[in-house]
Amino acid sequence: ESWGGGYPLFLTGVTFPSEFPASPETLVKLTVYDAKDKSQESVSKHLFLIVCGSFLGSATFSVGDLLRAKDERLTLSLRSSDGVCTAGSVVVSRLKMGEMEEVDVDHITTDSSTQKESPCSRLFKNPVCKVYRFQTVDSKWMLVREQMEECTLSFSIPKQLLSLYIQEDMMRVQDLRELGELSPHWDNLRKEVMTRYGGIISCYQETLAELDKITGCSFKPSCCKAQKSLEFIPINLHTQRMRVTCPRKTDAIYDIVTVGAPAAHFQGFKCGGLQRLLSRYEAEKKSTAYQCIYYSPEHTAKAQEVLSTMSLLQPLITSLADQLLQAAQEHSSPGLRDALKNLSDKTEQFVHTLKDELVKSALLALHAARPGYVSKNQKQNPAQGGEGGSLPLKHQDSIPHHKEYDEEEWDRVWANVAKCLNCVIAMVDKLHEEDNSKQEPVPEQQLADVITSHNPGDWREQLCPVVTRLKECVMEVVEKAKRAMTFVLLQEAACSVPQGFLLQQRRDVVFSQALAALACGFVMRLYAGIQDKGFLRQLHLVGLVAQFESLLSTYSEEIGMLEDMEVGISDLQKVMFKITEAKSDELSDLQPLVCGQRDHFAVEVPLPRLVFQTLPEEIKEGKPLQVFPVLFNVGINEQQTIAERFGDISLQERINQKNFEMLEAYYKTLSEKLPLECLPCFQTQTDIKELLETLGQNVVTKKRKNVEILWIAGTICRRLNGIRFTSCKSAKDRTSMSVTLEQCALLRDEHQLSKDFFTPALNCMRREGCRIENVQKNIRCRKYAFNMLQLMAFPKFYRPPEGTYGKVDS
């Protein structure tokens, strides 16, 4: 393309990898080819990969020549191979690009010798950099640098999750073993459920062993999306950063994470995806659960929550009780007060969790499932007798209540914990009172007697019995409640055989891919905003929006992908982040760590000490940081055309409407808790409220391929300091069109990109930028996987330039 002066102007960036450091003596050779597109006469250029085209000329220079040149800029003549003919000239200039440093407004100036490496950069690998120069409205020039990287979390997060899944299921099997003796019917169900868990555990162990063999790789190419051993790994996960340097303006950075739709590609989509499978399964389970007691999803979720809370609080209460005794041993009044406050808080939380009808009714049901249990009805009518529960039970829609069992027992047991706590509090008060009376002024001659009679061990001796009793009561409650909740989960699992277990595996796979992408985006966003006080305040007061843009069609197997993705993104609501101080600056100590169970995961992000010290107190104290995931989908390909004309796009409409409401609710919370000055400033100062109204209108408007929904949602996300994600099936082709369009729209709206430059800039990014490199990395071919017929159905701005697409195996 001719961009002024009638001459073609091209710009590219070249970096020296750290493993090949350049010295002043290093020689650099540039070779230029004329690669003519057969379909048109305009000159286009191919860098690094010349498929066809003629040699134009080359030039050689040393790094020293460049460093010594005025303004570190060399103009070189391109010469033919015999050195006779000149084929034009090339300008070489040194651009010193940095990541975290202060930047001069007119130049990008970081000396590589003094630049400090960002710890964040160690989590990202294999950078691909491209540099462009575009003209602004006022005929000035802006420099644009694209950088795309892989993320080590692609593999490390799924591997950690697999370990946690295995650990959780092993604990479940152990709990089932410890359920005690059951009548034959229930015992057979238990054995079957334990066998199912055993199958999942060995399958996950096998997958983990396969993943442990893979070293040095940090992304899964799109061609491996259906590979079983890699099903937990996100597809083609990359980060992309665009850095813009304009005259008389500070640098601007725009980040985006690109990832293939989190979906169970190996398991396929013949019967749909998670959203459809789960609702169908829940209905079927209710109607066919004849051999077990039906508990609603809310009840099983509650049972899981009770188990999780107990496993967290019981050791904590024991440890705080020991701290109380230690403070008594040391005769420390302040220590005693603090330890008692913490112990009281946690014990009250523990009692509150267990004061639940579900626990009581489940204990009754478990009692009825014991061998030899005979109900009053059976006593009255021996003809129907038999061992309690050995016959298949009738399906029950509600939780059973067995009056003949002492229903008050559970109330007594958990109430004992509260009573014991009151005894501990009373004893501490008594000790304080005694201590205060001893502090009263005494005649000098009696002072020696007081000192000798006072024994520091008295406090501990007096406290020990009541504290021990508290610990014993807590243990008794834990044992009973654990059995009761395990029994509830046994019903869920028994009703689940085999379909529920397969669905759990599918959900595990999809969530693993989604969490790896989210963790990657969170870390990238955290480091980008680490010095922004407003952003950090928003992070701990409200949390961050994570906006997933999807370009899947609502047709054929992509419906299943979208149904998987919807559940996977929604499950991210169960994730909290926590910032910790890293033990050292070693890469291994900076890796985010996942802990928790399926109903609640926490991701710890370690920061180097110096960075950690600058954070607000709330974050340093380990406050859990929330993320609000939202998903918007607009199909853009030829299959979406079929869906819109002859199919059903209700899934897309429902997703967009529901997630619009969630985004609106997030903004409302943000407005109430935070001054809007904390949000970033943009040139296009349309009110966020206005943008939300427009988005709301677009979501309900019946308009084909309404990509405006994606544009507005993306704009709102950036305005809200959020994390941006873009996905299609493989994050390679449609995603590339979306990312490049978003980058050029930002250059136009925020950096005054000249109107005449918009389409050339868009084509240049698609032809030469990071996204075509992404295609090359995935399928070893520099062609987007579109054909001319498909592209006719694409919205205009999502069509790549001639020569960059074709029929390829992707």
Side-chain angles (χ1 to χ4, degrees):
E1 287 119 26
S2 180
W3 290 354
Y7 298 105
L9 173 68
F10 302 109
L11 195 76
T12 189
V14 177
T15 56
F16 290 104
S18 53
E19 59 267 34
F20 301 113
S23 70
E25 291 73 42
T26 303
L27 287 177
V28 181
K29 184 179 181 182
L30 302 172
T31 308
V32 179
Y33 292 84
D34 171 15
K36 289 206 174 173
D37 191 324
K38 289 171 188 167
S39 63
Q40 48 183 337
E41 280 304 301
S42 69
V43 178
S44 75
K45 145 191 96 122
H46 283 259
L47 295 174
F48 314 122
L49 182 75
I50 307 300
V51 181
C52 62
S54 56
F55 171 81
L56 279 178
S58 63
T60 305
F61 66 95
S62 74
V63 170
D65 294 340
L66 179 59
L67 295 173
R68 286 188 292 272
K70 191 185 175 195
D71 296 331
E72 293 182 347
R73 190 181 174 97
L74 284 175
T75 303
L76 307 168
S77 293
L78 291 169
R79 300 201 168 271
S80 56
S81 46
D82 56 10
V84 177
C85 178
T86 303
S89 61
V90 64
V91 178
V92 181
S93 59
R94 183 183 177 212
L95 294 178
K96 293 163 276 186
M97 291 278 190
E99 289 305 323
M100 303 286 279
E101 72 289 348
E102 290 300 314
V103 181
D104 185 288
V105 289
D106 289 317
H107 302 94
I108 303 173
T109 56
T110 298
D111 194 314
S112 55
S113 61
T114 60
Q115 182 189 344
K116 287 181 182 170
E117 182 200 22
S118 151
C120 174
S121 66
R122 301 194 210 164
L123 300 176
F124 299 93
K125 287 172 73 175
N126 302 330
V128 173
C129 302
K130 299 284 173 170
V131 183
Y132 314 87
R133 190 166 71 137
F134 298 133
Q135 206 165 41
T136 59
V137 172
D138 54 2
S139 301
K140 290 194 164 49
W141 293 90
M142 69 169 93
L143 273 176
V144 177
R145 180 202 197 208
E146 264 188 315
Q147 180 161 316
M148 179 181 75
E149 293 179 283
E150 298 162 17
C151 183
T152 57
L153 303 185
S154 265
F155 279 76
S156 83
I157 295 284
K159 281 162 74 172
Q160 290 182 65
L161 268 180
L162 273 163
S163 295
L164 291 171
Y165 291 150
I166 291 165
Q167 198 179 308
E168 184 180 343
D169 290 345
M170 280 176 156
M171 273 168 56
R172 187 67 50 77
V173 169
Q174 188 57 31
D175 289 346
L176 285 168
R177 276 201 194 101
E178 290 170 3
L179 206 45
E181 220 183 326
L182 296 174
S183 62
H185 168 73
W186 295 115
D187 198 41
N188 289 336
L189 279 183
R190 168 166 60 181
K191 282 173 185 160
E192 193 178 350
V193 166
M194 283 165 70
T195 305
R196 289 280 169 185
Y197 275 125
I200 292 181
I201 291 164
S202 60
C203 173
Y204 285 7
Q205 283 171 333
E206 220 171 279
T207 303
L208 193 54
E210 287 296 312
L211 292 177
D212 282 337
K213 289 177 195 168
I214 300 167
T215 52
C217 182
S218 46
F219 93 107
K220 175 169 95 175
S222 62
C223 53
C224 299
K225 62 176 156 280
Q227 197 172 314
K228 170 141 183 48
S229 60
L230 296 176
E231 65 176 338
F232 285 84
I233 311 298
I235 300 155
N236 189 19
L237 175 63
H238 281 80
T239 61
Q240 185 149 330
R241 168 167 287 180
M242 177 174 76
R243 183 168 204 149
V244 188
T245 304
C246 291
R248 293 179 304 282
K249 196 178 173 192
T250 53
D251 279 20
I253 287 173
Y254 303 97
D255 289 337
I256 194 159
V257 176
T258 59
V259 64
H265 293 270
F266 168 74
Q267 295 175 35
F269 308 97
K270 204 183 275 183
C271 303
L274 274 170
Q275 185 264 330
R276 195 183 337 169
L277 291 167
L278 285 167
S279 52
R280 189 190 300 153
Y281 158 70
E282 201 51 54
E284 284 171 8
K285 189 173 74 169
K286 197 167 183 176
S287 62
T288 59
Y290 63 89
Q291 60 173 359
C292 50
I293 303 159
Y294 174 77
Y295 286 96
S296 71
E298 291 72 31
H299 283 132
T300 52
K302 179 69 187 174
Q304 187 64 61
E305 184 198 318
V306 169
L307 280 173
S308 298
T309 309
M310 282 193 307
S311 67
L312 286 169
L313 289 180
Q314 188 261 318
L316 200 55
I317 289 169
T318 303
S319 145
L320 289 168
D322 292 342
Q323 280 177 34
L324 186 74
L325 291 176
Q326 184 60 36
Q329 175 82 37
E330 292 162 6
H331 209 85
S332 159
S333 277
L336 207 58
R337 258 196 309 273
D338 291 348
L340 181 64
K341 187 186 182 313
N342 291 336
L343 180 63
S344 300
D345 289 349
K346 294 303 170 198
T347 308
E348 280 164 21
Q349 195 182 330
F350 177 78
V351 170
H352 180 73
T353 303
L354 297 172
K355 190 182 174 181
D356 194 282
E357 273 303 308
L358 178 66
V359 185
K360 187 196 285 191
S361 60
L363 272 169
L364 300 174
L366 175 58
H367 174 71
R370 297 286 185 212
Y373 168 78
V374 180
S375 73
K376 281 183 180 171
N377 293 345
Q378 286 171 318
K379 283 176 192 166
Q380 288 160 4
N381 188 357
Q384 290 179 346
E387 193 175 8
S390 59
L391 297 169
L393 301 180
K394 270 189 173 175
H395 168 237
Q396 290 166 301
D397 270 318
S398 60
I399 299 164
H401 289 270
H402 302 282
K403 299 289 178 195
E404 59 276 15
Y405 180 63
D406 181 3
E407 289 193 21
E408 304 307 313
E409 187 188 336
W410 173 244
D411 292 337
R412 279 198 302 274
V413 171
W414 71 256
N416 277 346
V417 175
K419 284 177 190 168
C420 289
L421 178 65
N422 288 338
C423 290
V424 172
I425 293 168
M427 179 59 76
V428 171
D429 288 344
K430 179 172 169 269
L431 294 174
H432 277 311
E433 276 171 32
E434 284 175 8
D435 198 48
N436 289 338
S437 65
K438 282 178 185 172
Q439 300 302 318
E440 285 168 17
V442 285
E444 210 169 302
Q445 65 271 26
Q446 291 177 19
L447 196 56
D449 299 335
V450 170
I451 291 167
T452 50
S453 68
H454 176 65
N455 177 2
D458 281 353
W459 278 15
R460 184 186 172 97
E461 277 172 30
Q462 290 180 67
L463 260 181
C464 204
V466 284
V467 168
T468 304
R469 181 74 188 118
L470 173 67
K471 290 202 281 191
E472 284 168 358
C473 285
V474 166
M475 277 311 296
E476 189 186 353
V477 164
V478 165
E479 280 166 26
K480 281 192 181 328
K482 197 173 176 185
R483 284 197 192 120
M485 296 302 92
T486 300
F487 190 70
V488 171
L489 296 175
L490 170 61
Q491 309 307 313
E492 158 74 10
C495 295
S496 299
V497 176
Q499 188 59 23
F501 281 88
L502 296 172
L503 280 180
Q504 186 60 67
Q505 284 178 275
R506 187 181 192 104
R507 201 167 187 168
D508 288 348
V509 162
V510 174
F511 178 75
S512 170
Q513 295 176 27
L515 182 60
L518 179 67
C520 165
F522 183 88
V523 168
M524 194 183 193
R525 185 68 195 86
L526 175 67
Y527 271 92
I530 207 81
Q531 293 173 333
D532 179 344
K533 295 280 183 276
F535 165 75
L536 292 172
R537 200 169 159 204
Q538 177 185 352
L539 180 60
H540 74 78
L541 275 177
V542 191
L544 297 183
V545 117
Q547 187 247 329
F548 289 81
E549 168 187 309
S550 163
L551 300 149
L552 293 169
S553 67
T554 51
Y555 182 80
S556 187
E557 65 171 23
E558 287 199 8
I559 292 185
M561 282 174 218
L562 185 55
E563 288 172 339
D564 272 359
M565 187 175 184
E566 183 192 3
V567 173
I569 302 303
S570 174
D571 280 350
L572 293 175
Q573 291 173 47
K574 299 182 286 196
V575 179
M576 299 297 250
F577 285 83
K578 193 174 157 187
I579 314 292
T580 57
E581 186 177 341
K583 294 189 189 88
S584 77
D585 288 3
E586 293 300 311
L587 175 59
S588 57
D589 288 329
L590 293 169
Q591 281 286 343
L593 299 169
V594 189
C595 54
Q597 294 184 329
R598 282 181 182 92
D599 66 320
H600 177 82
F601 284 106
V603 181
E604 289 187 10
V605 181
L607 292 184
R609 192 176 61 82
L610 291 174
V611 181
F612 183 80
Q613 293 307 328
T614 65
L615 296 174
E617 283 308 312
E618 292 88 343
I619 296 179
K620 284 199 283 191
E621 283 164 10
K623 183 178 178 186
L625 310 171
Q626 218 170 339
V627 169
F628 298 84
V630 291
L631 167 66
F632 290 92
N633 185 85
V634 176
I636 62 168
N637 67 3
E638 76 291 353
Q639 291 193 318
Q640 187 64 18
T641 309
I642 299 169
E644 287 173 336
R645 290 199 177 141
F646 312 109
D648 177 12
I649 59 163
S650 59
L651 172 65
Q652 175 174 292
E653 290 171 338
R654 185 182 56 73
I655 287 173
N656 290 344
Q657 180 60 44
K658 179 180 151 195
N659 285 273
F660 163 68
E661 286 162 13
M662 286 160 68
L663 188 59
E664 205 174 29
Y666 171 83
Y667 177 68
K668 187 173 181 290
T669 308
L670 184 85
S671 316
E672 289 163 1
K673 291 194 178 180
L674 208 68
L676 293 179
E677 296 78 65
C678 287
L679 296 176
C681 288
F682 281 85
Q683 293 293 313
T684 43
Q685 276 301 326
T686 320
D687 187 51
I688 300 179
K689 241 177 161 173
E690 235 177 277
L691 286 168
L692 276 164
E693 276 169 28
T694 314
L695 180 61
Q697 288 157 11
N698 273 282
V699 159
V700 294
T701 304
K702 299 281 182 191
K703 183 181 169 189
R704 286 178 181 172
K705 294 184 183 170
N706 189 2
V707 287
E708 221 165 305
I709 289 172
L710 302 180
W711 300 348
I712 302 166
T715 303
I716 291 170
C717 174
R718 290 200 186 279
R719 294 282 297 274
L720 291 174
N721 262 332
I723 315 167
R724 276 280 293 111
F725 300 84
T726 294
S727 293
C728 58
K729 182 160 74 173
S730 62
K732 178 172 59 66
D733 306 301
R734 283 169 279 178
T735 293
S736 293
M737 299 304 104
S738 175
V739 169
T740 46
L741 178 60
E742 182 172 359
Q743 288 183 165
C744 286
L746 284 164
L747 293 177
R748 177 195 63 203
D749 300 338
E750 298 299 320
H751 303 280
Q752 290 77 50
L753 175 69
S754 167
K755 197 169 61 174
D756 298 340
F757 261 71
F758 185 84
T759 303
L762 190 56
N763 287 342
C764 182
M765 277 184 184
R766 287 170 177 175
R767 186 182 283 119
E768 309 296 349
C770 290
R771 299 317 303 179
I772 200 76
E773 299 295 340
N774 183 271
V775 173
Q776 167 74 24
K777 282 175 79 168
N778 276 277
I779 59 168
R780 300 280 174 262
C781 169
R782 299 174 78 79
K783 295 268 183 192
Y784 298 111
F786 305 128
N787 60 44
M788 180 63 85
L789 202 63
Q790 284 175 312
L791 289 176
M792 285 165 71
F794 274 47
K796 184 185 162 198
F797 286 117
Y798 289 83
R799 297 172 193 167
E802 282 291 330
T804 62
Y805 58 87
K807 190 172 178 354
V808 290
D809 182 18
S810 67

